[in-house]
Amino acid sequence: MYEERASRLSGAVVWRRTPENPANPSARPVLVLPDGCMDLLWSEGRLLVAGPDTRAHVPGGPPCRWAGVRFHPGTAPAALGVPAHELRDRRVELADLWPAAEVRRLGGRVAAAADPATALEEIALERSPAPDPALRRLVAALDAGRPVAATADELGLGARQLHRRCLTAFGYGPKTLARILRMQRALTLAGAGVSLAETAARAGYADQPHLARDVRELAGRTLGELLGGR
């Protein structure tokens, strides 16, 4: 069972996932789709970081409990102290990024908490600096379907500057970020019952086949398969 709520950390989400039947090996695997975000994770005593995805990720191993803080796009690197591109398409132990003694202390704190997800949120709140307004404007513009070049001009950045900033903050360039945000818009629209033709138009695709190709490339599934699995 999956639950989430808005975090006290600006733009973030606190979530938890509990396997409904851990003994059932045929349970549907969890599919994590690219969304422009990074997560601070806890599972069975381990603290990890999920880097930004460019493709769908299926967690390995047996079903187990998970708790996490999903940072607003672009905000996790400042909190974690590592550029996003170093973690792209990776899940790493927090002890590989922070001093081991500090991670052990934090791991004990989360394990002793009544709600590990809330304990993770408190750690994220302690570590996160104020949001970068330029990055927030960048995400908002691309999520609204603004062209990358026009967005760079509005932010007063050259193409190379924008690309460097995006690699550090998001793990990939602005065009990839725009594609991922567009796919998420499409999934939201289609999941709400909007026809696929209208979804393609409203999300910013050239046409419905363009939508189908892009979703398949990023998610490794058809749009029908993704909606059927929700």
Side-chain angles (χ1 to χ4, degrees):
M1 181 175 64
Y2 177 82
E3 303 172 276
E4 68 175 41
R5 63 170 173 82
S7 172
R8 289 174 288 156
L9 182 64
S10 178
V13 171
V14 177
W15 60 270
R16 59 181 63 82
R17 186 185 297 277
T18 306
E20 297 181 9
N21 185 0
N24 180 9
S26 63
R28 182 189 297 273
V30 175
L31 186 67
V32 181
L33 299 179
D35 58 5
C37 300
M38 295 172 59
D39 291 59
L40 178 62
L41 306 170
W42 176 88
S43 180
E44 309 298 344
R46 298 169 62 206
L47 286 170
L48 306 99
V49 174
D53 291 321
T54 60
R55 57 184 180 270
H57 172 77
V58 179
C64 55
R65 293 185 303 155
W66 287 90
V69 175
R70 182 172 303 117
F71 290 84
H72 188 272
T75 60
L80 299 173
V82 60
H85 64 82
E86 294 186 8
L87 303 177
R88 183 172 53 235
D89 292 318
R90 298 175 61 200
R91 271 64 182 161
V92 302
E93 299 283 344
L94 187 60
D96 291 340
L97 307 177
W98 291 359
E102 175 71 358
V103 174
R104 284 195 298 271
R105 183 185 70 80
L106 294 174
R109 174 177 161 185
V110 175
D115 179 15
T118 298
L120 280 178
E121 179 185 29
E122 291 169 353
I123 292 170
L125 283 164
E126 294 166 2
R127 300 279 177 153
S128 297
D132 183 336
L135 289 177
R136 287 298 180 97
R137 295 202 309 273
L138 171 60
V139 173
L142 295 180
D143 197 26
R146 294 284 293 155
V148 170
T151 300
D153 288 343
E154 291 166 3
L155 294 173
L157 297 173
R160 291 184 179 180
Q161 284 179 301
L162 179 63
H163 191 79
R164 285 196 299 269
R165 292 199 66 176
C166 284
L167 284 179
T168 299
F170 307 107
Y172 31 64
K175 291 185 178 179
T176 298
L177 176 62
R179 285 183 69 201
I180 287 171
L181 295 176
R182 182 175 60 185
M183 180 187 71
Q184 288 293 336
R185 292 197 302 275
L187 289 173
T188 298
L189 289 167
V194 177
S195 71
L196 295 187
E198 185 177 352
T199 290
R202 289 172 57 180
Y205 292 92
D207 51 29
Q208 189 173 327
H210 182 202
L211 162 65
R213 289 193 304 272
D214 215 48
V215 169
R216 186 62 184 259
E217 288 177 11
L218 288 170
R221 306 287 194 281
T222 66
L223 186 54
E225 288 171 331
L226 293 178
L227 295 175
R230 285 193 162 192

